[in-house]
């Protein structure tokens, strides 16, 4: 089933084509009617005709009677389209009978590699990683729902010169102590202590340098100690992932170290292609089009002057691996905006070297910052970076208190389950409902509010509908006859419901989960108005009761599915 926008657009396109080939209908949702097409304006200009006349011609040629009840030319030449109730109610019935709720499977199944989360070993996962983890996870769910083959890649920072000092520090404090510190997520303290020793003590520095060499040359004992650091950190990350309820597993962890054996070939192949330039002892590629403020060309440093490979080299190897070995059609990097230039340059070099063919797209899905209520970088009360486990525990605790206040009867397992769903959901929703390229303020009161565009509001809307069905002891079998749409609120709700697949498509298209949250919020508010003016269980007659139950059931299913695509739970009761 094609979504309404696509269906209307196709019909309009052929009508425009019959007037003059190739014109874009410029169709969008509209407050006036349901949709508005503004393409007649540009076309009229091209043809040198009055726009209203062109619009009239398009309307006369358009085959829309099965979709629209009214098609009118207004203003300077806009075409206003109002869908017919018969169409809307038929679509509701079709959606309702479809376990995918009208969302089509992608025409072409792609292999999409999604690189997200990517915290660093022996360093606290900071709130930036939280954002990437939440957004990346929602994108994976959306892509999978669209039928794509998704390969998750958790590109953790598990390699590089700091490991010399980290391993030496581990040796100094003893493995058991180290493990104890790491497992409780005291990663920053561990890192800081290592750094302090490194700064203070020449002998420690020397040992650290030797350790890096041993690590690189594959010395078994050094490798074992390195593994301890990696494993304990990953164990901590897993704890955060479990609390968050994200899809990432240990199988998705493919850290920087994985690409080590491929780095020499990156350098050799770039050299063989004549792309490498030596600059102050470093091996660099200067991709065209990248300059600094002074207008000088910017390098991608593939091999540093000390012989070490850096972050860009690893990402180049990763592109090759993902294209050649994983068969990626698309690679998404869900990483903060700070790294925009890094990715642009890596993509440019990979394209130059022929590693990123034109058939494969690489996209930096960037995101902005989470701020504290003081509008500065989010920090804990003591000024340290915020520990994610603590943050999520606090979310659950606060949600529990909020539920207990609202529904004093709730307790036991129900309360525990609802607190988790609501607390973690609130954190995720606050993030996903902000356009990803914008900063947002991490504000407990706002994200946990039961009113407004929040996770709890949507989860409650869903649970409330489910409770109607429990109270009425009705069980709406999926599908059934199309609902009768009489009241304006019934029609408005049907219209919203039918927009679900458009919202999913918009979210996928822009890698913007906020497109979906915006839709779900509108759906929930439309349902609230409907529910206020259209009694369901006590509807005036059997047909209206049935119709309203169909609408309510579909609303709950769309909410639950939509929240699921965002990685949020939709409890049946709260
Ligand atoms: N570990 C990096 C960081 O914390 C993010 C890695 C992102 N992914 C990548 N392929 N570079 O900033």
């Amino acid at each position: 089933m094609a979504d309404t926008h696509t269906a209307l657009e196709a019909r309009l396109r052929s009508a425009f084509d019959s007037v003059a080939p190739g014109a874009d209908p410029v169709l969008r949702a509209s407050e006036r009617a349901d949709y508005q097409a503004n393409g007649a304006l540009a076309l009229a200009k091209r043809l040198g005709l009055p726009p209203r006349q062109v619009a009239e011609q398009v309307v006369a040629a358009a085959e829309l009677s099965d979709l629209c009840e009214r098609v009118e030319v207004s203003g300077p030449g806009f075409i206003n389209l109002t869908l017919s109730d018969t169409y809307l109610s038929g679509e509701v019935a079709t959606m309702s009978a479809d376990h995918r709720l009208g969302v089509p499977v992608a025409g072409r199944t792609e292999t999409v590699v999604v690189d997200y989360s990517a915290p660093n070993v022996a360093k606290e996962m900071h709130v930036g990683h939280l954002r990437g983890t939440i957004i990346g996870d929602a994108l994976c769910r959306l892509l999978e729902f669209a039928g794509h083959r998704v390969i998750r890649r958790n590109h953790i920072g598990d390699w590089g010169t700091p490991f010399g000092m980290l391993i030496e520090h581990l040796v100094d404090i003893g493995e058991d102590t180290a493990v104890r510190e790491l497992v409780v997520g005291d990663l920053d303290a561990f890192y800081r202590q290592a750094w302090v020793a490194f700064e203070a003590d020449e002998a420690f520095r020397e040992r650290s340098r030797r350790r890096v060499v041993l690590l690189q040359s594959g010395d078994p004992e050094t490798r074992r100690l390195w593994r301890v650091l990696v494993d304990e950190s990953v164990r901590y990350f897993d704890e955060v992932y479990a609390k968050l309820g994200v899809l990432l597993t240990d199988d998705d962890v493919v850290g920087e170290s994985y690409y080590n054996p491929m780095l020499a070939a990156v350098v050799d192949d770039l050299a063989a292609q004549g792309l490498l330039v030596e600059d102050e002892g470093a091996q660099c590629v200067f991709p065209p089009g990248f300059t600094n403020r002074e207008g000088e060309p910017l390098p991608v440093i593939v091999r540093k002057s000390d012989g070490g490979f850096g972050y860009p080299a690893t990402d180049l190897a990763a592109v090759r691996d993902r294209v050649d070995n994983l068969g990626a059609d698309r690679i998404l990097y869900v990483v903060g905006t700070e790294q925009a230039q890094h990715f642009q340059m890596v993509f440019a070099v990979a394209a130059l070297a022929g590693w990123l063919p034109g058939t494969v797209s690489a996209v930096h899905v960037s995101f902005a910052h989470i701020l504290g209520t003081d509008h500065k970088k989010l920090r804990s009360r003591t000024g340290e970076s915020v520990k994610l486990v603590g943050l999520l525990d606090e979310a659950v605790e606060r949600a529990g208190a909020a539920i207990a206040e609202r529904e004093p009867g709730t307790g036991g397992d129900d309360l525990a389950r609802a607190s988790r769903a609501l607390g973690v959901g609130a954190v995720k929703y606050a993030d996903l409902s902000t356009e990803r390229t914008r900063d947002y303020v991490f504000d407990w009161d706002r994200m946990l509010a039961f009113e407004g565009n929040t996770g709890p509001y949507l989860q409650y809307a869903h649970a409330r509908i489910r409770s109607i069905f429990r109270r009425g002891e009705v069980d709406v079998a999926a599908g059934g006859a199309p609902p009768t749409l009489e009241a304006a609120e019934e029609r408005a709700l049907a219209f919203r419901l039918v927009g679900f697949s458009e919202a999913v498509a918009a979210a996928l298209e822009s890698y913007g989960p906020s497109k979906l949250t915006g839709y779900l919020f509108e759906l929930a508010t439309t349902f609230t108005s409907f529910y206020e003016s259209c009694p369901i269980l006590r509807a005036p007659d059997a047909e209206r009761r049935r119709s309203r139950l169909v609408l309510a059931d579909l609303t709950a299913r769309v909410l639950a599915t939509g929240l699921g695509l965002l990685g949020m739970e939709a409890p049946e009761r709260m």
Side-chain angles (χ1 to χ4, degrees):
M1 145 185 182
D3 65 55
T4 307
H5 190 278
T6 310
L8 282 175
E9 192 167 57
R11 303 290 185 85
L12 284 166
R13 203 175 284 278
S14 34
F16 270 87
D17 278 347
S18 75
V19 177
D24 179 356
V26 194
L27 181 70
R28 51 184 174 76
S30 152
E31 292 291 314
R32 297 264 175 106
D34 295 328
Y35 287 89
Q36 191 172 72
N38 296 343
L41 273 60
L43 180 58
K45 205 168 191 182
R46 204 174 93 198
L47 301 177
L49 291 171
R52 284 192 68 103
Q53 184 189 320
V54 172
E56 296 289 0
Q57 265 176 288
V58 170
V59 170
E63 194 65 70
L64 291 163
S65 56
D66 53 333
L67 301 174
C68 298
E69 173 176 290
R70 234 182 1 263
V71 182
E72 285 168 345
V73 175
S74 81
F78 303 141
I79 301 170
N80 287 339
L81 303 129
T82 307
L83 300 170
S84 74
D85 291 356
T86 320
Y87 169 76
L88 284 177
S89 120
E91 290 293 284
V92 166
T94 311
M95 245 179 109
S96 181
D98 176 10
H99 72 283
R100 297 184 53 86
L101 303 173
V103 180
V105 173
R108 195 174 83 94
T109 305
E110 290 179 49
T111 297
V112 188
V113 174
V114 185
D115 180 321
Y116 71 109
S117 192
N120 300 312
V121 165
K123 272 197 194 160
E124 179 59 50
M125 262 177 110
H126 53 72
V127 285
H129 295 119
L130 176 73
R131 233 192 144 179
T133 305
I134 293 173
I135 296 171
D137 215 61
L139 294 179
C140 286
R141 290 170 198 263
L142 280 159
L143 288 161
E144 269 170 1
F145 189 60
H148 296 300
R149 176 168 165 255
V150 173
I151 302 178
R152 292 178 292 274
R153 279 291 177 265
N154 193 354
H155 193 87
I156 62 169
D158 63 356
W159 200 253
T161 40
F163 281 90
M165 109 191 158
L166 292 168
I167 292 170
E168 285 307 317
H169 177 61
L170 179 139
V171 170
D172 284 359
I173 62 173
E175 248 175 271
D176 291 348
T177 314
V179 166
R180 237 176 293 127
E181 278 181 18
L182 292 170
V183 86
V184 296
D186 232 344
L187 275 55
D188 271 351
F190 184 89
Y191 198 96
R192 222 174 15 247
Q193 288 159 23
W195 181 245
V196 167
F198 189 84
E199 288 279 272
D201 181 359
E202 173 53 36
F204 185 87
R205 279 201 290 280
E206 190 42 44
R207 266 160 55 204
S208 300
R209 277 191 282 272
R210 270 203 307 269
R211 201 49 105 165
V212 175
V213 176
L214 284 172
L215 181 65
Q216 274 160 353
S217 63
D219 168 61
E221 174 62 5
T222 303
R223 279 286 184 148
R224 191 187 66 76
L225 294 168
W226 169 77
R227 265 271 134 231
V228 171
L229 287 173
V230 174
D231 289 348
E232 294 309 322
S233 300
V234 168
R235 215 191 299 272
Y236 175 71
F237 302 150
D238 280 344
E239 199 186 326
V240 175
Y241 297 150
K243 283 189 198 271
L244 266 178
V246 294
L247 300 168
L248 285 169
T249 68
D250 285 352
D251 292 342
D252 306 318
V253 174
V254 181
E256 293 179 18
S257 63
Y258 175 82
Y259 302 98
N260 246 351
M262 309 172 198
L263 298 178
V266 166
V267 175
D268 292 348
D269 294 355
L270 289 171
Q273 297 195 48
L275 291 167
L276 271 194
V277 177
E278 184 163 326
D279 189 47
E280 293 175 28
Q283 303 292 319
C284 308
V285 181
F286 289 90
F290 294 92
T291 48
N292 65 11
R293 265 190 224 108
E294 284 72 45
E296 294 154 353
L298 279 174
V300 170
I301 301 175
V302 185
R303 186 162 208 173
K304 295 180 274 186
S305 54
D306 66 4
F309 301 96
Y311 188 57
T314 304
D315 263 323
L316 285 170
V319 168
R320 292 182 90 171
D321 181 58
R322 290 163 185 183
V323 173
D324 296 344
N325 302 327
L326 301 181
D329 296 300
R330 251 197 277 182
I331 316 174
L332 307 183
Y333 295 82
V334 188
V335 185
T337 48
E338 294 78 7
Q339 298 193 32
Q341 193 176 56
H342 162 75
F343 285 112
Q344 278 161 20
M345 293 182 81
V346 164
F347 300 162
V349 172
L352 275 181
W355 299 334
L356 192 60
T359 48
V360 179
S361 59
V363 185
H364 175 207
V365 179
S366 67
F367 55 83
H369 302 101
I370 309 182
L371 309 175
T373 36
D374 57 0
H375 288 258
K376 294 209 190 97
K377 210 173 142 187
L378 187 64
R379 297 205 164 277
S380 71
R381 259 171 252 117
T382 50
E384 287 158 45
S385 69
V386 176
K387 288 207 195 344
L388 291 192
V389 161
L391 186 97
L392 294 170
D393 287 343
E394 184 169 352
V396 174
E397 222 170 274
R398 283 176 181 263
I403 296 171
E405 195 182 307
R406 197 184 154 101
E407 321 268 344
T410 328
D413 279 356
D414 272 354
L415 181 62
R417 214 171 309 125
S419 310
R420 226 172 16 242
L422 209 87
V424 175
V427 171
K428 286 186 169 182
Y429 192 87
D431 198 306
L432 295 170
S433 59
T434 311
E435 218 178 290
R436 63 179 162 75
T437 51
R438 293 170 62 166
D439 294 343
Y440 73 92
V441 171
F442 193 94
D443 180 343
W444 287 119
D445 293 336
R446 181 126 54 94
M447 69 175 77
L448 282 164
F450 291 103
E451 295 303 329
N453 189 10
T454 67
Y457 175 68
L458 293 184
Q459 288 168 321
Y460 255 98
H462 170 264
R464 197 180 331 119
I465 300 173
R466 286 291 166 231
S467 83
I468 298 170
F469 284 84
R470 279 195 301 276
R471 262 189 291 131
E473 291 174 6
V474 269
D475 191 21
V476 167
T484 314
L485 304 177
E486 249 171 304
E489 291 83 1
E490 290 170 326
R491 187 195 185 276
L493 181 56
F495 177 70
R496 279 284 170 249
L497 286 166
V498 165
F500 181 52
S501 68
E502 258 169 64
V504 170
L508 270 167
E509 164 107 19
S510 58
Y511 304 117
S514 66
K515 295 275 193 318
L516 181 56
T517 62
Y519 165 81
L520 293 174
F521 177 57
E522 277 182 355
L523 175 63
T525 52
T526 309
F527 180 83
T528 305
S529 324
F530 157 83
Y531 191 48
E532 273 162 12
S533 45
C534 303
I536 300 177
L537 294 176
R538 272 182 237 139
D541 54 59
E543 171 52 17
R544 270 180 279 190
R545 186 174 193 265
R546 185 197 67 82
S547 289
R548 290 171 186 179
L549 283 168
V550 169
L551 291 169
D553 173 65
L554 187 57
T555 304
R557 285 163 61 203
V558 169
L559 286 172
T561 304
L563 290 171
L565 289 172
L566 299 169
M568 291 170 60
E569 283 176 57
E572 293 287 305
R573 55 178 90 223
M574 301 216 282

